[in-house]
Every structure is written in structure tokens, then in C-alpha cells.
Amino acid sequence: MTELTAGTTPTRADALALDAADPLGAYTSRFEPAEGLVAYFDGNSLGRPVAGTAEAVAELVRGAWGTLLIRSWDESWLPWPEQLGDLVGRAALGAAPGQTVVADSTTVLLYKVLRALVDHQVALDPGRTEIVLDRDNFPTDRYVAEGVAAERGMTLRWIEVDTAAGVTPDQVGDVVGPATAVVLLSHVAYRSGWVADAEQITRVAHDSGALVLWDTCHSAGSVPVRADDWGWDAAVGCDYKYLNGGPGAPAHAYLAARLHDIPTLRQPVQGWMGRRDSFLMEQGYSPAPGVRSLVSGTPPVTGMVPLWLSLQMLEEAGIEAVRAKSLLLTDLTLAVVDAWPDELGVVVASPRDHERRGGHVTLRHPDFEVVNRRLWERGVIPDFRAPDGLRVGLAPLSTTFVEVWDGLAAVREELEAAR
Ligand SMILES: *Cc1c(COP(=O)(O)O)cnc(C)c1O
């Protein structure tokens, strides 16, 4: 792949050359066309539909649902949570089969898995009364942790972080100890795009006897995750961001095999679909073996259909190639923004170091709320995050380099017009 020359201002021709040399370039045309779209900078928030998604959903309606009707539960749908989970595990999480499910939403799965881990830790050692998390974790993660803490009489132990960066192993080391039950952190920070050193942080937490729950919303499908190799305990993340599952697509949860089938480690929403032998309709709940026990109710089949296509595409492209393009896309973004005049007043609020940089770059400027509205009107779609952040989220499989160049040129124009 062509490299950007450090210190020079990239031209539109440079962006076109990067596209011409892009080994993943062909994937950008394997998405549903979007009329009037100039640049999509929100693949990290709502991934675009993979071409064929509309047909696959129609096929479900006419075939498996409309024609086979209830027979489809037996013939195909019932094991989808684990089957689709295995595909998420393989394509995006570095997880061997049998440890991942697709179900519920991120928020609900965070609650279920956090409660299960907390209860297990407290059962082993009642002195473990703290949940460690960071102040800039995504709101739902913080609120869920507040709820679990209130329910179980736990204390939240907050790590203060630089919002242009994120949590470090040293910061975690400073707060974990014999009172820590669970550490809950995002692998990639939603605001800055900071990639936490998930292997080292897991080790530091384990050294103090804590378990770690990783949020993979902004890493799955963007940054390589090696859940098994890094010794992860559990992870929960979205499937509608870099995984293109569609608005409100069911989420994924990973639970390491060594934590399966432990009587003290139980998720709290004991529904019939997570029970052993669901269809015997027996009295009393007894969890299904393995990761199936994380499922509660009927699988959201319709919402799972787009994910099969997008995950197969991701597996085919390979997460390492996706990551290589992602870094080049954000390199281009930074090179363009760095060449803007200082008077424009735009500040980069994301890591520059490749190792710590995720799939998006956040820029800060007091006028971005207004600018973002104008950009949307002209088909350039970043997102605004209060108080002054513009996120440039670049999904490698659907984004071209020239799209980045054109979109950033529009950001600059609108900023100049707003002055
Ligand atoms: C997007 C996101 C969520 C969203 O949770 P939902 O239940 O899908 O609304 C949670 N956590 C993080 C870190 C996110 O980026």
C-alpha cells in the first residue's frame, strides 16, 4: 500500500492513489449505494448495509418465515445465538468456538454479564466489594455499573482519564486490589478512539484477583481483538457499528470457557431460552451448558440476518488487513488536518501513536455543533459529541481515501464559513 509522506500536505491526487493501491478497495462497492452521500464518517456509529442485505431480509420474510413458518425454529433458528456468536468470535474477537453469543442489546448484555461476574466474585470472597471503571466510559456502561452496584451493595471505583486519550495499565494498577471484584472498561474509547492495552490491563487486574469485562463496541470489526490469547474473562459489544448489523442489531457477549458451568457465575435474567432443554418446559430454572446460558429469551432472528452477511465479509477481508487500512485512513485524516492553518483553531483529541489509535479521530472546535448540521445537509456525515467534538469514524471496508479527503475539505469549508 502507498504510504503518506510525513510532513507533506496530502492532495486529492494522493488520496486517489491510495485508493488505487488499496487491497481492500473492491469492498467499498459491496455496500448498498447511498444517494447524495459524499462522505460517511459514522461507520463507527451505524455501519452501512452490506449489498445483498435487503434481499436476505426479503428472503427470510418469504422463505424461512413466510413459508416454512414455525418449522424454521427447529430447522435453523434456535442455535443462531451460538452459531452467529461463533462467527463474531472468529471474525472479530479472536475467540475459539463456544464462547460467544449474539443476543439482546449491548446494554442488556452488559448488565447480565457484569452481574454474573460480580456475584461470582463476591461468592468466592465477600471482601471484593468494588467495581472499577473510568469516568469517560460510555454512558450506558457507567449507568449499568451504577445499577449493579446499587443492587448488590458494591462501590464504584472511578479512574479519572484524559478524554483525548484513555485508561493505562498503570492507572488500573493503582486502583485494583483485594477489594476489586470486576474491572469494566472499553477496549477502544468511544470519544478519543484510544486503544487500551487490553492484554496488559487484563494481566494487572488478574494479578489482584479481579475479573475484567471488556466493552468491544468500538473495537470489534476495527481493531484486532485476541480475547483468548489475552486471557480475557468476558466481553460485550455492539454489532451495528463496525459490524454493520443494522440499527439496533443484537449485541455479542464473550465468556471465556474456563468461566462456564460454574454454579456461582449466573446471569440474572433466567429465561426459558437459556435453560437446559428449553422445550421440556420443566419446573425450575437450570442453566444450559456453556455460553448458551447467557441467552434469556427468543433469539431476535430478523435482526440477525444482516449480520451473517457482514461478518462473512469481514472474515473474508481479514481483520489484520482491515486494521492496516484503518491506520492509513486515520493517517490521511491527521495529515490533512495537520496542514490546516492554526487560525482555524481545530485541535486533534485522539492518540497519534498507531498502537493506541483506534478507528476514529476526534477533532475539537467550538463551532462544530453548527458545522456538523451544515455538513449533514451536504451529504458529509460525521457526528457531533458534546461539548465540541466532531468524530471522524472511518469503517475500512466501506470508506475510500478520496471520500476522506473530500469530506475533510467540506469540514474546513464549513468552519471557514462559520467564522
Ligand atoms: C455504542 C455503544 C454502546 C451502546 O449500547 P446499546 O445498548 O447498543 O445502546 C455501549 N457502549 C459503548 C462503548 C458504545 O460505544
Side-chain angles (χ1 to χ4, degrees):
M1 211 183 278
T2 312
E3 297 293 326
L4 290 163
T5 315
T8 62
T9 305
T11 62
R12 194 167 191 277
D14 293 333
L16 287 167
L18 285 165
D19 280 322
D22 176 10
L24 299 181
Y27 286 99
T28 59
S29 55
R30 283 175 58 183
F31 289 83
E32 293 288 344
E35 212 184 301
L37 184 69
V38 176
Y40 192 53
F41 290 168
D42 258 323
N44 63 327
S45 188
L46 179 64
R48 292 179 56 185
V50 170
T53 299
E55 291 78 3
V57 173
E59 202 178 296
L60 172 90
V61 173
R62 300 208 179 95
W65 176 15
T67 305
L68 288 173
L69 293 161
I70 197 173
R71 289 170 286 184
S72 289
W73 282 114
D74 292 333
E75 285 168 26
S76 60
W77 299 331
L78 276 173
W80 273 24
E82 301 101 298
Q83 289 170 351
L84 195 52
D86 281 347
L87 183 53
V88 175
R90 201 161 68 232
L93 298 181
Q99 303 176 101
T100 311
V101 287
V102 170
D104 305 319
S105 66
T106 304
T107 301
V108 170
L109 281 179
L110 278 171
Y111 171 72
K112 287 161 67 171
V113 175
L114 181 61
R115 252 287 301 265
L117 297 181
V118 161
D119 288 358
H120 174 61
Q121 288 286 74
V122 172
L124 293 182
D125 176 359
R128 294 201 177 269
T129 56
E130 292 183 358
I131 299 170
V132 167
L133 70 169
D134 73 287
R135 278 282 173 210
D136 206 37
N137 205 340
F138 192 83
T140 221
D141 301 57
R142 290 183 273 117
Y143 306 154
V144 164
E146 282 174 25
V148 170
E151 223 170 30
R152 294 325 231 192
M154 311 285 288
T155 305
L156 297 181
R157 182 86 176 238
W158 297 97
I159 298 173
E160 303 297 332
V161 287
D162 174 356
T163 58
V167 183
T168 65
D170 284 346
Q171 286 176 310
V172 175
D174 287 346
V175 295
V176 292
T180 313
V182 178
V183 177
L184 167 64
L185 297 172
S186 287
H187 182 207
V188 172
Y190 83 100
R191 195 188 302 275
S192 68
W194 170 268
V195 183
D197 185 341
E199 185 176 18
Q200 188 59 22
I201 288 174
T202 300
R203 196 173 300 134
V204 166
H206 284 177
D207 285 348
S208 75
L211 294 174
V212 189
L213 171 52
W214 286 102
D215 182 319
T216 47
C217 283
H218 281 277
S219 58
S222 164
V223 172
V225 175
R226 293 191 231 297
D228 290 345
D229 292 347
W230 295 341
W232 279 14
D233 302 303
V236 169
C238 289
D239 291 331
Y240 54 77
K241 293 177 177 168
Y242 290 103
L243 296 178
N244 310 300
H252 59 262
Y254 162 91
L255 186 66
R258 65 178 178 283
L259 297 174
H260 293 183
D261 308 324
I262 300 176
T264 46
L265 201 157
R266 280 217 191 161
Q267 62 90 357
V269 187
Q270 302 184 161
W272 70 311
M273 283 287 161
R275 194 195 187 280
R276 177 184 301 277
D277 302 321
S278 299
F279 285 92
L280 297 182
M281 310 288 190
E282 281 178 304
Q283 294 298 321
Y285 180 80
S286 165
V291 78
R292 178 77 187 194
S293 67
L294 292 184
V295 173
S296 296
T298 302
V301 167
T302 316
M304 289 166 141
V305 168
L307 261 174
W308 286 106
L309 295 183
S310 64
L311 287 165
Q312 278 155 8
M313 178 189 280
L314 174 64
E315 191 180 26
E316 179 191 305
I319 190 67
E320 296 295 339
V322 166
R323 173 62 169 163
K325 179 170 177 185
S326 168
L327 286 170
L328 212 43
L329 285 164
T330 51
D331 278 347
L332 175 65
T333 304
L334 291 171
V336 168
V337 172
D338 285 344
W340 288 351
D342 289 344
E343 306 87 79
L344 211 55
V346 171
V347 176
V348 172
S350 288
R352 286 177 175 276
D353 173 15
H354 272 189
E355 215 187 340
R356 297 275 79 87
R357 192 199 307 159
H360 69 270
V361 170
T362 295
L363 307 175
R364 298 180 61 187
H365 189 285
D367 292 338
F368 272 153
E369 190 164 10
V370 178
V371 164
N372 190 55
R373 267 199 298 277
R374 298 216 177 115
L375 289 168
W376 280 22
E377 281 161 22
R378 56 190 281 191
V380 174
I381 328 262
D383 67 18
F384 173 73
R385 282 291 174 268
D388 58 0
L390 193 80
R391 284 195 312 186
V392 179
L394 304 170
L397 292 177
S398 60
T399 309
T400 64
F401 290 93
V402 78
E403 184 180 351
V404 173
W405 201 94
D406 289 345
L408 291 172
V411 173
R412 179 175 175 174
E413 267 175 41
E414 292 299 341
L415 267 176
E416 281 166 348
R419 264 138 63 102

